[in-house]
Amino acid sequence: MSLILAYLPHLLEGLLVTLEVALGSFAIGLVIAIAAVFGAEFGNAPVRWCVSTYVTIIRGLPELLVIFLVFYGGTVLLSRMFGAYVEVDALTAGICALSFVSGAYLTEILRGALHTIPPGQAEAAKSLGLGTGATFRHVILPQMFSYALPGLGNQWLIILKESALVSIVGLEELMRKGVVAAGATQSPMTFYLIVAGLYVAITSVSMAIFAYGNRRLTFGR
Amino acid sequence: MKILAIASVLAAITAGSAGAEPLRIGTSADFPPWGYTDTAGDIVGFDREVGDEICKRIGADCAWTNQSFDGLLASLQVGKFDLVISGLSITAERAKQVDFSKAYADAPYHIATIKGGALAATKTRAELEAALEGKAIGVQTGSTHEAVANTYFKNADVRLYERNEQIADDLAAGRIDAGLLEQSVWEELMKAREGKLELAGPMLTSADYAEFGNGQGIALKQGREDLKARVDKAIVDMISDGTIGKISTKFFGYDLSYKG
Amino acid sequence: MSYEILLQSIPIVYAGLKLTLIVTLAGFVLGQALALPLGLALTARSPLLRWPVATHTFLLRGSPLLVQLFILYYGLAQFDAVRASAIWPIIREPVNCAIIAIGLNSAAYVAVIIAGGLKRLPPGQAEACISLGLSRFSRMRDVLLPQVYRAILPSIGNELILVLKASSLASAVTVMEMSGAARAFTAKTYAPFEVFIVAGLLYLAIGFLFGIAFRFVERRIPGVAAIGKSGRAAQPRPQALGASS
């Protein structure tokens, strides 16, 4: 029991890293998605093709494989590009991998939400004299996020759980801390149950927050 | 006047430490007693103390990073680390991709099995190889043990694990019939598993299976001759003045410094 | 990018293909088999049936598959009682553990989808069955469930792709399917791109073939609505409790 208590702070440290990775990946994934949606809607044919290929490929590959590719391949690529080693710590690499994956799914969520907006909205904005950029920023984007909220919440939960995969390449997040503790104490069941419990806890809290946000932020539905 | 004195002392101190070269060391701390993490999360073990001593002797300021074993050499090549000190065996295959320092240790290997298992009765290498046909052997991904198992125990079911503790746990559970690791690591892993495991067959060295390599050394990226020369000198000094022997006895109970 | 390593990668990844397909197909079948009773339990009238199953699906959907896999593989093996029991010969094999963990996890998600499908059926269907005097079993088997499955068929096709992707986790417990074989090869050659690209292409190809197979099945079943373009690549499953496809 005392041994389990000794490792508990480690698990909580890992939980913090998990949240960092998930938040970072979600944020950057969202940025990628917004850019991709912009490209898919307003870009020329090659841009549209790039976005479509990116989304199709990522959604067809196992997340673990993409993480392996970004982890083991990314540093090689970066170093070759810059000539010298570019310092990329495990956290950054983990965030890069996961945001690359989530960006594809977020693109589809945002695109679906975008197409739910009645076309009259854009037409009304144009008739009021708003340019494309202003229309996108003040009329389309807020509505897009409102419709996308359930999908975004769903993707956040997925990213939280996917972050456990980054433990396989050594990032010291919650799952990894659990594996180390289990190995050192030969009590895998105890620690993996605690780790599972912690994940369920953060997904539950997330779902509660999203339910609250959904009620407060969505309109007109 | 006093301020000037304090300022110059401070300048001298910081100048002194500014002269220390920062080095990044990569290790996989899942290999007790060579490298493991204590309850505070710090990397400790034989490699840690040997590495810190070498850093002291060459005047470097070392920072240790713990990561998966099979990614260590790739990270070294890409420039993430300056040195890899992780019970790494010097093999011809690896030497094609990285440079090795002089060997600092020479660890024998052993097959381990569950206590009272059929393998435990084997005495010679031939008996061992015969007994391992069709059995499941656990080894760590990317290790020399994996290479040896794949070359010499070809008809066995070779299972790849990420961490050595997982091999020991699966062995104790009876999922695999044998595991191949350094004898020193088995002694440590077996201690924690109170008599569930025992060593099987004879002690194995690179004289038996060349793929084990020739002693354990420190890996460097190819082309760093200056650093390699300084590290080599430190290792040679540490072997001859018995430092490595002393650290070795502290962790293994015996001296396994390289005497080749 | 070394073409020599690229060519060497192909047999390595191909060797893992058999295990990938075994884990995927067995896990999918197990998941579908378990999902039906679980889905029915979720819509049962008795809370004694609903609550335990709802908790079970909540826990499985709220934690990563990797933890569940480790609990099954390393956690259970810890106990002497388990190792002496009848299930040990089954969970002793890493492939079985992967199949069971993936199957249980998939079943939890599909159960919620089935429950959602049942709830969305027009209540008139069930009422008509009762007025016709059909037994509860017949009501389910002959009227309600066929409609539910027709409606959720795209989700089930999606689930097959998701299980294919989940099979890559089997490498975490020594099963040398495609992702594990690729990673082991990287450790030897320090050349990550070639082998992961080969593995990636193979996953995309298999997913594509699964998609074609499912579209064929969909067309053969009367009453399944035509699927739009966006339905092809894998969709993520709804995670929040209460949300269904």
Side-chain angles (χ1 to χ4, degrees), chain A residues 1-15 18 173-179 181-182 185 187-203, chain C residues 59 62-64 67-68 70-71 75 78:
Chain A
M1 187 61 201
S2 58
L3 211 53
I4 295 173
L5 286 175
Y7 279 97
L8 218 53
H10 288 286
L11 292 184
L12 293 174
E13 270 173 35
L15 183 59
T18 291
E173 42 66 75
L174 179 56
M175 182 72 196
R176 180 87 175 163
K177 296 281 192 183
V179 171
T185 61
S187 324
M189 188 56 109
T190 314
F191 282 103
Y192 293 142
L193 282 177
I194 296 178
V195 167
L198 285 170
Y199 276 110
V200 172
I202 48 177
T203 50
Chain C
L59 292 174
S63 53
V67 192
Q68 296 163 20
F70 275 22
I71 288 177
Q78 186 189 333

Side-chain angles (χ1 to χ4, degrees), chain C residues 45 123-136 139 143-144:
Chain C
R45 260 168 315 174
Q125 293 287 323
E127 287 166 10
C129 291
I130 297 175
S131 68
L132 282 172
L134 290 176
S135 70
R136 284 196 61 189
R139 177 166 90 222
V143 181
L144 298 181

Side-chain angles (χ1 to χ4, degrees), chain A residues 68 70-80 84-90 93 168-171, chain B residues 24-28 64-86 88 97-99 219-222 224, chain C residues 183 186-192:
Chain A
F68 282 164
V70 172
F71 240 78
Y72 293 115
T75 36
V76 173
L77 193 68
L78 276 176
S79 305
R80 279 199 208 143
Y85 176 67
V86 181
E87 175 57 53
V88 176
D89 66 335
I168 297 184
V169 289
L171 179 63
Chain B
R24 299 154 303 166
I25 304 185
T27 189
S28 174
W64 289 75
T65 305
N66 186 5
Q67 73 164 55
S68 296
F69 182 75
D70 64 353
L72 281 174
L73 291 185
S75 297
L76 182 71
Q77 291 200 296
V78 133
K80 184 172 177 185
F81 302 124
D82 299 296
L83 303 171
V84 166
I85 309 179
S86 198
L88 201 60
Q97 306 272 356
V98 296
D99 275 347
L220 301 98
K221 189 165 178 190
Q222 282 175 339
R224 303 193 65 173
Chain C
R183 186 193 184 192
T186 300
K188 267 197 281 281
T189 61
Y190 313 125

Side-chain angles (χ1 to χ4, degrees), chain A residues 81-170:
Chain A
M81 266 168 46
F82 288 96
Y85 176 67
V86 181
E87 175 57 53
V88 176
D89 66 335
L91 183 64
T92 314
I95 292 180
C96 279
L98 280 184
S99 39
F100 200 62
V101 173
S102 60
Y105 289 99
L106 288 169
T107 304
E108 281 307 286
I109 293 172
L110 292 182
R111 282 190 65 206
L114 194 65
H115 291 171
T116 318
I117 302 177
Q121 294 287 319
E123 289 166 9
K126 197 151 57 161
S127 70
L128 283 172
L130 291 173
T132 319
T135 312
F136 201 70
R137 231 181 18 250
H138 298 294
V139 178
I140 304 292
L141 217 54
Q143 292 189 58
M144 180 174 78
F145 274 111
S146 153
Y147 285 122
L149 215 54
L152 292 180
N154 203 44
Q155 193 59 34
W156 163 252
L157 296 173
I158 294 176
I159 291 178
L160 265 181
K161 288 180 284 176
E162 245 163 36
S163 67
L165 294 179
V166 192
S167 70
I168 297 184
V169 289

Side-chain angles (χ1 to χ4, degrees), chain C residues 89-126:
Chain C
I90 300 176
I91 63 172
R92 192 171 173 265
E93 293 308 310
V95 184
N96 296 345
C97 279
I99 292 173
I100 295 173
I102 292 176
L104 282 174
N105 187 274
S106 173
Y109 285 95
V110 180
V112 172
I113 294 177
I114 291 177
L118 275 170
K119 280 193 210 124
R120 271 202 301 260
L121 282 179
Q125 293 287 323

